[in-house]
Amino acid sequence: MSTLTRRTVLRALGTAGLAGVAAAITGCAPTIGTGGLPRIDGAYDGPPIRLRFWNGLTGGDGPVMRTLIAEFTREHPNIGIDMYALPWTDFYQKFPAAVTSGLAPDFALMHNFQVATNAARKVIMPVDEVLDTVGLVEADYLPVVWDSGVYRGQRWSLPLDMWPDSLFYNRRVLEQAGLDPDAPPVDRAGYEQALDAVASSGVQGHWLPAVDPQGVGRGFDSLLWQFGGEHYDSAGRAATFAEQAGVDALVWQQSLIRAGWSPRNVSGSDASMAFKNDQNAFLWGGPGALINDLGQVDGLDWDVAPLPQIGGQRAAFSGSHQFVVSRQPSFDADRLAAVVTFLGWILANSIGWATAGPVPARLPILASPELADLPAQAHVAEGVEHIRFYPLVPGIAEVQTTILYPAIGDALLSLGDPRSALDTATTQASFLLQENVEKYGRA
């Protein structure tokens, strides 16, 4: 029996209504079914049916998904899809509550680094049984992407895309500094030389968003991998980012500020605004947000390339949107067939999703002439062979965002000792990882 508090009741009311309150009071969830998916032999061809689809696509990517849904329903008029977009933070709070309350959507879209957590919570279903019907083939995906939906020997998600952090560069700033705007830097020496050159022309070329832990933390992730490090041990029970690779990554980030290549105490919006006004040469970030944002600025001369190799090997943080099937109190074979019909269609037609910024996860589509018609996305795709994902560990996103990223931001704001900052964060992260083993190990 859990301890009932006013906050518990209010939280439950805010996420799942009366059924959520019942779960909070009793300390357990309503029965949501424990069997597998019903057998699906092919596409749905029955009477009209409406599906519920949840995601966090509240930005410019939302209209793109709605356009694709409309295209699908024109081809499949017997399948309607009601899409509900919530801010991602709200989505990850409300989705498990909706499932445990028996109010789950039919399917959802979530980030790859949240799949293991939701699998451990048992609010999504293994989808191995529908792979053939959906048309998922291992040879069509990079190994890191194919493996990203597999947890404890089962597949829990279907990858839609990849969005590797990439190097967005202001061509006009580079040209005014005497650099070739068609040849962005590809390694540490070239990158630092470019920063020196633009500094000579009066521009600080890399505005490091130290006050935005998420933005600066993902840059650290890429650098950690480039310097040969890992975030966690293979079992996901201890943090390892305070080893020499992590120290080297943070030292290099600090050098951007110490050398005057980045202003101090700036945010991601500061960096973006400076870039749009030709006062910043480079942005490190994901294509999902930046391609559409920069593309709307009249007169801005920009392009994008894979991240430069600062450490001993190429690597870039990447995320992936992945489809999941929600656990239900009981499964209706017709509804599942309709879900599978849509998932098979959109994964085969994900070139349309590329207009939102991310690049398709499916390699044949990635190599298609249609992607070449999207120059920015095609340039991002040049670096996908070197992408890295977070390990498939339940609760990993919480460790990153609540412990590691704030520690990186604090070290950059104070320019304090990198090893000390990372040692402290490692201790805290390892403690949380051990708690997560207990928490999700019983799930």
Side-chain angles (χ1 to χ4, degrees):
M1 178 72 70
S2 62
T3 302
L4 180 64
T5 66
R6 180 174 181 272
R7 178 175 296 179
T8 302
V9 173
L10 291 176
R11 184 183 297 115
L13 277 171
T15 57
L18 293 177
V21 175
I25 293 173
T26 62
C28 61
T31 301
I32 54 173
T34 56
L37 298 177
R39 180 180 175 84
I40 302 297
D41 295 320
Y44 179 71
D45 59 0
I49 193 169
R50 296 202 69 83
L51 304 175
R52 300 180 302 274
F53 171 33
W54 283 22
N55 57 58
L57 306 177
T58 57
D61 45 12
V64 176
M65 181 60 73
R66 294 183 188 278
T67 297
L68 291 171
I69 290 173
E71 183 179 343
F72 169 79
T73 54
R74 284 193 296 270
E75 297 181 19
H76 302 79
N78 60 334
I79 303 176
I81 299 176
D82 296 320
M83 174 174 139
Y84 299 91
L86 302 82
W88 283 114
T89 300
D90 293 342
F91 170 85
Y92 289 120
Q93 291 176 345
K94 294 180 183 297
F95 176 76
V99 173
T100 56
S101 301
L103 303 172
D106 295 284
F107 66 105
L109 191 71
M110 64 177 56
H111 300 110
N112 60 297
F113 44 81
Q114 293 282 359
V115 170
T117 302
N118 285 279
R121 286 174 171 167
K122 299 182 180 176
V123 295
I124 58 177
M125 293 294 296
V127 292
D128 302 86
E129 298 174 12
V130 301
L131 292 187
D132 290 342
T133 308
V134 172
L136 229 66
V137 179
E138 183 174 1
D140 286 348
Y141 296 87
L142 293 168
V144 66
V145 178
W146 179 259
D147 293 340
S148 65
V150 179
Y151 173 67
R152 291 182 178 172
Q154 293 180 294
R155 173 165 295 282
W156 299 84
S157 61
L158 309 175
L160 172 63
D161 59 24
M162 304 172 282
W163 24 281
D165 274 9
S166 302
L167 179 69
F168 290 79
Y169 57 97
N170 186 312
R171 290 169 45 84
R172 187 158 44 238
V173 169
L174 296 186
E175 191 169 27
Q176 290 173 350
L179 301 171
D180 184 351
D182 295 315
V186 298
D187 56 22
R188 178 171 181 169
Y191 195 67
E192 293 178 351
Q193 289 168 7
L195 291 173
D196 268 338
V198 298
S200 297
S201 65
V203 173
Q204 290 176 292
H206 183 135
W207 288 44
L208 195 65
V211 301
D212 290 338
Q214 179 78 11
V216 77
R218 279 174 34 177
F220 174 86
D221 292 335
S222 296
L223 291 165
L224 173 68
W225 286 317
Q226 288 195 7
F227 281 104
E230 297 290 343
H231 293 79
Y232 310 102
D233 66 4
S234 58
R237 298 190 175 201
T240 58
F241 46 71
E243 295 178 358
Q244 190 59 45
V247 174
D248 291 343
L250 186 50
V251 166
W252 187 81
Q253 284 186 306
Q254 287 186 338
S255 75
L256 297 172
I257 299 172
R258 295 183 186 280
W261 294 326
S262 171
R264 296 191 64 167
N265 305 346
V266 298
S267 67
S269 59
D270 294 332
S272 178
M273 187 60 65
F275 188 93
K276 295 172 182 177
N277 287 285
D278 298 338
Q279 291 301 309
N280 180 12
F282 302 113
L283 293 173
W284 290 30
L290 286 173
I291 286 178
N292 287 307
D293 182 36
L294 300 179
Q296 296 175 10
V297 181
D298 291 338
L300 182 63
D301 189 10
W302 65 277
D303 207 337
V304 59
L307 288 183
Q309 180 180 326
I310 305 302
Q313 59 192 39
R314 292 189 63 185
F317 163 88
S318 180
S320 169
H321 292 108
Q322 309 216 350
F323 287 106
V324 297
V325 174
S326 312
R327 187 176 292 275
Q328 304 289 344
S330 63
F331 278 95
D332 179 277
D334 283 345
R335 298 190 71 83
L336 181 61
V339 169
V340 169
T341 301
F342 173 72
L343 296 182
W345 181 90
I346 195 168
L347 294 176
N349 293 275
S350 57
I351 188 63
W353 176 243
T355 62
V359 298
R362 215 166 188 164
L363 295 178
I365 298 176
L366 201 64
S368 68
E370 290 83 1
L371 189 71
D373 293 335
L374 300 170
Q377 287 87 336
H379 293 166
V380 169
E382 294 171 2
V384 298
E385 291 185 11
H386 305 283
I387 63 173
R388 297 288 300 270
F389 286 168
Y390 298 143
L392 289 166
V393 176
I396 205 69
E398 180 185 7
V399 178
Q400 294 282 127
T401 58
T402 64
I403 295 177
L404 175 59
Y405 289 175
I408 300 302
D410 288 346
L412 294 174
L413 290 171
S414 67
L415 295 183
D417 177 52
R419 188 175 298 277
S420 176
L422 292 173
D423 280 341
T424 299
T426 295
T427 300
Q428 296 170 344
S430 295
F431 178 80
L432 183 54
L433 288 167
Q434 289 293 330
E435 282 197 329
N436 284 343
V437 169
E438 295 297 318
K439 176 180 179 181
Y440 295 110
R442 293 194 300 265

